[in-house]
Amino acid sequence: MSVLEMNNVKKSFGSNNVLKDISIKVEKGEVVSVIGPSGSGKSTLLRCATLLETMDSGTLSYNDTKAAWMEENGIRYTKNLNEVRRHFGLVFQNYNLFPHYSVIKNLMDAPVSVMKRDKDEVRRECMELLSKMGLEDKADAYPCQLSGGQQQRVSIARALAMKPEILFFDEPTSALDPELTGEVLKVIKELAESNMTMVIVTHEMSFARAVSDKVIFMDHGVIVEQGAPEELFGNTRSERTKQFLQNYNNI
Amino acid sequence: MTLATMIMKMSEGLGKTCAIFFLTLLFSLPLGMIVALLRRSKIKVISKITQFCISVLRGTPLMLQLLAVTYGPYYLSVAVNKLSDLYNWSFYLDISISRNKLIPVVIAFAINYAAYFAEIYRSGLESMPVGQYEAAHVLGYSKPQTFMKIILPQVIRRILPSMTNEIVTLVKDTSMAFTVSYQEMFTIGKQVANSQTSFVPFIIAGVFYYIFNAIVGFVMGRVEKSMSYYTM
C-alpha cells in the first residue's frame, strides 16, 4: 500500500503542457526528492498532489483512498476532498504563515477549528512540536518578528500539527540565505530520521542526495530519470540529467 | 439672536446628523462587503451588473440620489396613476412623500456609501497574496472559515486608512440632507442664516464638523493602532 500514488498525470496551462504523463508512487516512510530545472513541472506536480491545481487527466490516491480517477467522460474528483486533505501537509516556499496570528495560534487554529479537536490537547501537542523545532520561546511571537528560517520551521510545525501521513515541501529553502537554509534542512533531516513520509521539491542537490531514498529528475514535464540517490548522482544514465547536475558541480 | 442661541438651536439638529452618520455606517459597511463579493463574482453577468450599479452610484451626485430616493417613488406613482386613468387599468398606486425623511435619507446614503466601501473592500481583497488562500485551503479551512478567519481580518487592517478617509467624508456629507429639508444640524443652520441674514451659523457648522471629524480621526487612529501588532 502506497501513501501516495499518482498515475498518468497530465496538466497544461493553455497550450503549455506542464505535465506530460507523470506517474509516481511513494511508500510509507519513504523520502522522495524531486529535482530539475525551473519550469520542469516539479511544483505543478506538487500542486496537483495537494489539490491546489486540478489535473487534466490521471489518477490520484492517498493510502488507497481514491481522490481522482478517470471515467469515460474524463477525470473525476471525489466529493469528499476535505477527507483527502487530512492525508497530507504542504510546506510552501514562502511559508504563507498567517501574519495576524501568533506562532502558537498558527499551529493550533486548524486542528481546533477544522478538525474540531480539544483545545488543551492540541496546545500540548503544538508546544511539543515547537520545542522540537527549537522555537518553544517563540510561541507568543508573531511571524513578522521571526527570521525566515524560524518562519519556515513554524510552517513545518503548522503542517505537522495536522498529523499528516505525508508531507510535501515546495522548495522550502529557496527564499532563505545559506545560514538559514541549514537550520531548515536540519529539521527536515530529523523528520526523515523519524520515518516521516516526505516529497521534497528542492534545488539543494547535496541535501537531496543525503536525505532521500529516491530522487526523481524532471524536465519539460516528464520524469527523465529516477532512482536511489547514489545511482542518480553517482551513476547517472541520462545525458540530460548529467548536463543538469554538471551545472551544479561547476559552481 | 445671540451666538449662544444660534449654537443651541443648531445643536438640536446634531442628534439627526449623528443618526444619519451612524445608521449609514451600520447599513453600508456590511452592504458594501456584499457588493464587493458580487463584484468579484466569477459569474460574468453578476460582476458586470454590479460594476454598472457601482459606476452609476459613484458617477452621479449624492444630492441627486437623495432627491430620487425621497421624491422618486411619489412622482413615479403619479405617473403610473395617470397612465392608469388613460388606459383604464384598474390599479392605482398610493404613495405619498414620507413624513419621516430619515428613512429615505439613510437609504440614499447607505446605498451610495456601500458603492464606495465596496471598491475599498475590493482593493483590500485583491491585495491579499494568493498564498494565504492556498495555505488555508491545504489546512482544510472551509471557504467561509477562510474568509472570516484568515482573509477578512487582514483585509480590514489593509483598508483602514482608506476607510477613515471615506468616513470623514461621510461626516461632512450628512449636510447634504438639507436638500430634502431633513432637520439636521446644517439644515437648521441654513435656516438660521437666512432668517438672521448672518454668516455666523455656517462658521458654527464648520466648527461642529471639524470637532466631529477630530473624534472620528482619534477613534480610527486607535483602531489602526490596535491592529498594528503585526506587519504583513
Side-chain angles (χ1 to χ4, degrees):
Chain A
M1 191 175 78
S2 328
V3 177
L4 167 71
E5 192 171 344
M6 298 174 90
N7 283 311
N8 310 105
V9 174
K10 287 178 189 154
K11 174 74 186 173
S12 51
F13 295 106
S15 59
N16 184 13
N17 298 323
V18 183
L19 299 177
K20 306 165 188 160
D21 201 14
I22 299 261
S23 300
I24 66 166
K25 217 173 175 180
V26 181
E27 304 297 332
K28 195 169 164 46
E30 207 172 24
V31 178
V32 176
S33 291
V34 184
I35 60 171
S38 301
S40 58
K42 315 178 295 286
S43 287
T44 305
L45 181 66
L46 223 59
R47 291 174 62 82
C48 284
T50 51
L51 307 173
L52 289 175
E53 301 284 354
T54 42
M55 307 181 286
D56 295 338
S57 71
T59 69
L60 168 66
S61 58
Y62 285 95
N63 265 338
D64 290 343
T65 313
K66 280 185 185 169
W69 60 91
M70 293 306 291
E71 283 184 355
E72 274 170 34
N73 47 4
I75 192 161
R76 262 254 336 251
Y77 276 83
T78 171
K79 287 200 176 66
N80 210 344
L81 285 174
N82 268 330
E83 203 52 49
V84 177
R85 286 195 188 96
R86 302 248 160 133
H87 291 279
F88 61 78
L90 172 62
V91 174
F92 296 87
Q93 179 178 343
N94 45 2
Y95 340 124
N96 289 339
L97 291 172
F98 303 132
H100 58 309
Y101 283 173
S102 66
V103 165
I104 189 74
K105 182 134 200 226
N106 262 282
L107 267 63
M108 284 178 60
D109 198 62
V112 171
S113 60
V114 175
M115 296 170 89
K116 312 277 178 220
R117 291 183 48 208
D118 176 64
K119 208 171 173 177
D120 293 321
E121 191 192 324
V122 171
R123 180 182 294 275
R124 252 196 320 278
E125 281 178 17
C126 289
M127 283 311 294
E128 226 168 273
L129 274 171
L130 281 180
S131 72
K132 256 187 212 162
M133 300 286 154
L135 292 168
E136 63 271 47
D137 55 329
K138 299 289 184 197
D140 295 318
Y142 283 86
C144 60
Q145 297 166 310
L146 306 180
S147 73
Q150 288 170 330
Q151 289 191 51
Q152 191 58 298
R153 282 183 282 153
V154 171
S155 93
I156 294 172
R158 179 176 71 175
L160 288 173
M162 298 295 281
K163 301 186 177 177
E165 288 147 15
I166 179 168
L167 196 50
F168 295 98
F169 293 84
D170 189 5
E171 300 189 22
T173 59
S174 293
L176 302 172
D177 70 39
E179 207 168 354
L180 300 178
T181 296
E183 63 183 55
V184 171
L185 294 183
K186 191 172 144 251
V187 166
I188 302 175
K189 205 168 169 197
E190 281 163 12
L191 285 173
E193 281 157 9
S194 69
N195 275 325
M196 185 76 208
T197 314
M198 296 187 284
V199 176
I200 308 164
V201 169
T202 183
H203 289 299
E204 298 284 332
M205 292 307 142
S206 48
F207 174 72
R209 185 171 190 163
V211 82
S212 327
D213 300 305
K214 186 162 89 184
V215 180
I216 293 174
F217 173 69
M218 278 180 73
D219 190 26
H220 287 114
V222 295
I223 292 177
V224 177
E225 188 168 350
Q226 59 180 313
E230 52 272 19
E231 276 292 306
L232 194 129
F233 288 105
N235 189 13
T236 317
R237 279 166 292 154
S238 147
E239 271 312 308
R240 179 67 188 100
T241 318
K242 267 183 201 161
Q243 192 193 347
F244 176 75
L245 293 174
Q246 198 116 56
N247 289 333
Y248 273 89
N249 297 334
N250 286 345
I251 299 169
Chain B
M1 205 182 260
T2 63
L3 182 67
T5 344
M6 282 183 186
I7 294 175
M8 280 305 291
K9 231 177 147 48
M10 289 172 70
S11 305
E12 285 166 23
L14 270 182
K16 289 183 173 167
T17 298
C18 289
I20 302 175
F21 175 76
F22 286 111
L23 289 174
T24 299
L25 283 185
L26 179 72
F27 294 117
S28 64
L29 286 173
L31 183 61
M33 182 52 82
I34 295 168
V35 175
L37 294 176
L38 290 176
R39 172 77 177 78
R40 279 165 58 84
S41 167
K42 287 195 185 90
I43 305 163
K44 265 264 162 64
V45 188
I46 292 178
S47 82
K48 282 287 170 202
I49 291 174
T50 315
Q51 190 182 357
F52 176 72
C53 293
I54 292 174
S55 80
V56 170
L57 289 167
R58 295 202 308 175
T60 58
L62 174 57
M63 203 182 279
L64 199 65
Q65 293 166 23
L66 269 165
L67 291 168
V69 175
T70 313
Y71 302 117
Y74 169 72
Y75 285 113
L76 193 69
S77 75
V78 170
V80 168
N81 292 348
K82 270 187 182 155
L83 282 174
S84 196
D85 275 343
L86 208 58
Y87 295 101
N88 282 322
W89 300 336
S90 54
F91 73 86
Y92 289 92
L93 292 173
D94 182 22
I95 302 174
S96 52
I97 296 164
S98 84
R99 282 279 217 51
N100 185 357
K101 292 270 174 50
L102 180 62
I103 296 168
V105 165
V106 167
I107 291 175
F109 268 90
I111 293 176
N112 180 273
Y113 271 82
Y116 283 95
F117 286 144
E119 288 296 279
I120 295 177
Y121 287 136
R122 190 168 70 92
S123 72
L125 287 167
E126 285 178 3
S127 76
M128 284 298 293
V130 66
Q132 291 290 304
Y133 289 95
E134 292 186 343
H137 203 63
V138 170
L139 289 166
Y141 287 93
S142 66
K143 274 199 169 151
Q145 277 179 326
T146 305
F147 186 75
M148 296 307 290
K149 299 184 72 120
I150 310 299
I151 303 300
L152 190 57
Q154 297 186 55
V155 166
I156 290 174
R157 153 96 195 260
R158 281 166 192 245
I159 61 175
L160 266 180
S162 346
M163 285 305 241
T164 305
N165 224 357
E166 209 51 43
I167 293 170
V168 164
T169 306
L170 172 60
V171 170
K172 296 175 289 179
D173 275 359
T174 55
S175 63
M176 214 91 81
F178 88 85
T179 44
V180 294
S181 321
Y182 180 61
Q183 293 292 311
E184 45 74 51
M185 187 265 290
F186 191 76
T187 312
I188 296 173
K190 215 165 162 326
Q191 288 158 357
V192 174
N194 284 341
S195 70
Q196 305 291 313
T197 47
S198 162
F199 193 74
V200 177
F202 293 126
I203 296 171
I204 297 170
V207 173
F208 272 138
Y209 288 123
Y210 184 77
I211 293 172
F212 199 154
N213 269 331
I215 297 169
V216 168
F218 175 77
V219 171
M220 292 305 281
R222 274 300 182 83
V223 176
E224 267 185 54
K225 206 169 171 202
S226 77
M227 296 188 89
S228 64
Y229 59 88
Y230 69 93
T231 49
M232 303 281 177

